[in-house]
Amino acid sequence: MNRRLRILAVADLWQGSDAYAYIRAFRRMGHSVRVTPSEDYIPGKWRSKPLRALRRLLEPLFVREYSDALITEAENFRPDVFFVFKGRYVTAEALSAIRRMGAVAINFYPDVSFMAHGKYIPESLPLYDWVFTAKSFGIGDMKRLLGVERASMLPPSFDPEVHAPVELEKEDLAIYECDVSFIGTWSPKKQRLMERIASSLPERRIRVWGDQWGAARATLGERIEGRGVFGIEYAKAMIASRVNLSILSEARRGASSGDLITA
């Protein structure tokens, strides 16, 4: 009989998140999972300039509070595994303290670059017992930049609660139906490609879903929906499109390559 583990996790909890898919998979396997998400301690959705400036000023205090919370959770829960999905705000100090309690520390790192998301990731990644990367070039980048050798690639997988056929209602078609769609966070490369497609297909209905596309309205106009789609709504948006585009992210600072595959 397989052993049931106690897993302390750092992960997002919104439906459609890859991190949350792992949490639900662990629970389906019968493991006991306690999640301490960073957003409970570090505000991530402040958009106004004054609030963003305040967040930058207070971030060291937020991170200290979060680190203390992780250590306290580990002291109370006594996890067998400390599972961190990306872990932008997991400090080396908190990670080391939890490992000293006997937990095996595992990081799943989903992004292109290890150097583009703050200072805590480069400081902490070398301390994990094992790091899984979703990028084939990630193993070499980690070794070259951070000296990490305890690592391997874990290809993207699917979430049975999200990546599945959905029957569309008339209301769904009214919201999502189009000829061409793209779903994803803005980047310069993605904007350039969408502009070329829009200019080449002026009569086609094109819709772009995702965050940070506001500035692209100047060239793409009403094609920018101005919000993301998540969970089952993500599946609906894909199914309602005649063509759904998968535009791979370009390289970021410290990465030897842009995306080569994507979920």
Side-chain angles (χ1 to χ4, degrees):
M1 183 176 180
N2 293 330
R3 182 186 172 194
R4 304 287 176 88
L5 301 174
R6 291 188 304 278
I7 302 174
L8 176 61
V10 171
D12 297 326
L13 293 176
W14 48 270
Q15 183 73 351
S17 161
D18 290 346
Y20 189 36
Y22 276 94
I23 299 306
R24 297 199 316 279
F26 292 149
R27 287 171 173 163
R28 287 196 300 269
M29 296 170 68
H31 302 305
S32 175
V33 185
R34 183 174 296 181
V35 183
T36 306
S38 62
E39 58 262 31
D40 284 357
Y41 298 86
I42 304 163
K45 295 184 179 181
W46 290 356
R47 291 292 179 259
S48 72
K49 288 184 178 179
L51 285 178
R52 291 169 67 180
L54 179 62
R55 182 179 61 198
R56 286 193 296 271
L57 180 65
L58 296 178
E59 184 174 285
L61 297 178
F62 291 148
V63 172
R64 179 72 264 166
E65 184 84 1
Y66 183 49
S67 296
D68 291 344
L70 286 172
I71 293 170
T72 298
E73 286 284 354
E75 290 172 342
N76 294 332
F77 189 47
R78 291 292 167 175
D80 302 295
V81 176
F82 182 41
F83 174 78
V84 177
F85 192 95
K86 187 173 177 176
R88 179 170 185 169
Y89 298 110
V90 175
T91 64
E93 292 78 12
L95 176 59
S96 296
I98 293 170
R99 289 186 69 206
R100 285 196 295 270
M101 297 179 204
V104 175
I106 303 294
N107 185 290
F108 182 86
Y109 197 83
D111 289 349
V112 168
S113 172
F114 303 98
M115 309 301 291
H117 300 283
K119 67 177 184 178
Y120 301 109
I121 289 171
E123 292 173 355
S124 63
L125 274 183
L127 303 179
Y128 284 90
D129 292 290
W130 203 265
V131 180
F132 292 100
T133 171
K135 316 299 180 185
S136 58
F137 54 88
I139 297 173
D141 284 359
M142 271 192 288
K143 184 174 181 179
R144 172 174 56 87
L145 295 168
L146 304 174
V148 174
E149 296 187 343
R150 299 185 301 274
S152 57
M153 180 187 173
L154 186 62
S157 54
F158 81 101
D159 180 349
E161 294 184 24
V162 174
H163 306 125
V166 180
E167 290 292 332
L168 300 183
E169 306 289 342
K170 289 183 179 180
E171 292 81 2
D172 298 321
L173 292 173
I175 296 171
Y176 297 119
E177 189 172 25
C178 61
D179 296 302
V180 180
S181 69
F182 173 72
I183 305 171
T185 301
W186 174 89
S187 77
K189 171 188 172 183
K190 295 169 186 175
Q191 179 175 338
R192 289 193 301 269
L193 286 173
M194 293 308 302
E195 288 169 348
R196 289 171 60 186
I197 291 168
S199 64
S200 299
L201 302 171
E203 303 302 319
R204 298 295 184 180
R205 189 173 191 186
I206 298 171
R207 310 181 85 161
V208 177
W209 308 87
D211 293 333
Q212 302 176 24
W213 282 91
R217 286 189 184 277
T219 54
L220 291 171
E222 293 182 357
R223 301 177 184 90
I224 303 300
E225 296 292 338
R227 62 184 179 89
V229 285
F230 306 102
I232 293 175
E233 299 302 306
Y234 171 82
K236 290 179 180 179
M238 296 185 73
I239 294 167
S241 307
R242 294 183 65 193
V243 176
N244 177 257
L245 301 173
S246 176
I247 304 175
L248 301 181
S249 297
E250 59 265 52
R252 301 286 300 276
R253 179 175 61 86
S256 61
S257 174
D259 257 335
L260 302 177
I261 59 173
T262 180

